[in-house]
């Protein structure tokens, strides 16, 4: 089942009514939901935070499997009620999948040719930049850390003037993509919800830099964001994970990776 009319930040009441009506129809017409409590039923959601909000709003969905592109979770699942009653992604229960990728970027990927693949993988490759990021830093100062959980703001405050870091709030799209392809690492933060940049980085031959925030370091925003198919795909093989508290030492951390 696919829900409609989701905003980026919060789902709409219309979507909640749509899901509720569909669920009542399924329960009334067929015996399968009532027999399993929904454990063998799958919902796909086009929203990110909207999916976890929906599970908290409709308790009947508690045992159903969600397919989303936002794996924001905490442990154990029964304690994951956060932010006005939202219930987070459930590890080993829900499934995180990549969002739809932009065709324009796909055509620029070096992995689509033998020559491009060899250029990305050659051992002696040199890089114009150690780190690349182009994107919004914050929407408003009043938000504090709610946007990107403070990752973008801290990165710019600490390292905006480094010559080996390509950090821009705005840039020409084509020029930015070319620059990303010449960087060793590409920051892949989320914004208010899910992020696309880890997929952009991989497609352009750049190592995704993913910033994690342990709960012990930040009670409000700390936790764990599960990457797509992470239960079977070891992201540590092709991405670098760094804690937010390590951002002051980021240049030396990145330089130490061969």
């Amino acid at each position: 089942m696919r829900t409609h009319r989701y905003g980026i930040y919060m789902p709409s009441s219309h979507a909640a009514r749509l899901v509720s009506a569909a669920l009542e129809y399924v329960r009334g017409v067929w015996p399968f939901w009532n027999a399993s409590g929904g454990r063998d039923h799958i919902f796909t959601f086009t929203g990110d935070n909207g999916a976890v909000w929906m599970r908290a709003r409709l308790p009947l969905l508690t045992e159903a499997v969600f397919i989303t592109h936002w794996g924001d979770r905490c442990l154990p699942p029964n304690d994951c009620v956060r932010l006005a009653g939202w219930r987070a992604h459930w590890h080993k229960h829900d499934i995180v999948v990549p969002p739809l990728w932009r065709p324009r970027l796909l055509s620029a990927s070096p992995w689509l040719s033998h020559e491009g693949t060899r250029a990305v993988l050659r051992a002696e490759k040199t890089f114009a930049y150690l780190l690349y990021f182009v994107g919004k830093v914050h929407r408003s100062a009043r938000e504090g850390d709610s946007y990107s959980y403070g990752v973008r703001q801290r990165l710019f405050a600490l390292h905006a003037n480094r010559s080996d870091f390509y950090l821009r709030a705005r840039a020409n799209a084509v020029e930015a993509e070319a620059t990303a392809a010449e960087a060793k690492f590409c920051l892949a933060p989320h914004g208010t919800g899910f992020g696309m940049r880890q997929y952009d980085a991989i497609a352009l031959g750049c190592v995704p830099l993913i910033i994690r925030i342990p709960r012990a370091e930040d009670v409000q925003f700390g936790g764990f964001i599960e990457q797509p198919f992470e239960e079977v795909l070891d992201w540590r093989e092709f991405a670098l994970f760094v804690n937010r508290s390590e951002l002051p030492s980021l240049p030396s951390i990145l330089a130490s990776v061969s």
Side-chain angles (χ1 to χ4, degrees):
M1 181 189 303
R2 184 172 296 277
T3 61
H4 300 279
R5 292 184 63 183
Y6 272 82
I8 297 175
Y9 315 122
M10 285 285 288
S12 67
S13 297
H14 175 84
R17 291 194 298 270
L18 174 66
V19 175
S20 180
L23 181 55
E24 291 303 319
Y25 176 80
V26 169
R27 295 178 65 213
V29 174
W30 292 289
F32 310 111
W33 182 280
N34 295 329
S36 67
R39 287 187 297 274
D40 52 3
H41 289 64
I42 298 174
F43 288 73
T44 63
F45 284 88
T46 56
D48 40 31
N49 284 327
V52 294
W53 178 86
M54 185 67 72
R55 181 175 266 148
R57 177 161 178 161
L58 301 176
L60 282 172
L61 295 175
T62 295
E63 298 296 330
V65 177
F66 282 15
I67 298 178
T68 71
H69 41 261
W70 181 230
D72 190 8
R73 69 180 178 90
C74 53
L75 295 172
N78 289 336
D79 293 332
C80 288
V81 179
R82 300 173 54 199
L83 300 177
W86 297 4
R87 189 174 293 276
H89 169 83
W90 285 16
H91 181 58
K92 296 186 177 180
H93 182 85
D94 298 329
I95 301 170
V96 185
V97 298
L100 183 65
W101 206 53
R102 290 167 281 189
R104 178 176 57 80
L105 284 177
L106 182 61
S107 64
S109 175
W111 301 109
L112 297 182
S113 69
H114 293 298
E115 296 78 9
T117 299
R118 285 195 293 267
V120 171
L121 298 178
R122 71 177 185 268
E124 69 279 7
K125 181 178 178 179
T126 58
F127 300 93
Y129 295 97
L130 186 58
L131 178 67
Y132 164 91
F133 174 76
V134 170
K136 189 180 296 182
V137 180
H138 55 73
R139 294 181 307 174
S140 72
R142 291 177 299 175
E143 285 184 315
D145 286 348
S146 64
Y147 187 70
S148 83
Y149 294 176
V151 170
R152 304 184 191 201
Q153 299 92 313
R154 285 167 171 77
L155 179 70
F156 273 74
L158 291 165
H159 305 302
N161 296 323
R162 290 189 63 92
S163 61
D164 56 346
F165 281 18
Y166 188 91
L167 304 178
R168 305 286 189 277
R170 297 174 179 271
N172 175 274
V174 175
E175 177 185 340
E177 291 160 20
T179 305
E182 294 300 319
K184 186 173 183 178
F185 296 96
C186 290
L187 182 69
H190 58 79
T192 303
F194 80 100
M196 292 284 293
R197 287 180 170 80
Q198 60 267 55
Y199 316 107
D200 296 349
I202 293 169
L204 294 171
C206 186
V207 178
L209 173 63
I210 299 174
I211 308 300
R212 284 183 168 167
I213 309 171
R215 180 59 58 87
E217 295 181 4
D218 189 325
V219 175
Q220 182 177 7
F221 296 109
F224 185 88
I225 296 179
E226 189 171 303
Q227 300 299 318
F229 307 124
E230 191 168 344
E231 293 175 13
V232 295
L233 187 64
D234 189 355
W235 277 68
R236 294 170 298 179
E237 294 289 332
F238 53 85
L240 180 65
F241 292 86
V242 174
N243 287 347
R244 192 184 68 181
S245 61
E246 298 176 288
L247 284 177
S249 304
L250 189 61
S252 60
I253 292 173
L254 298 185
S256 69
V257 179
S258 59

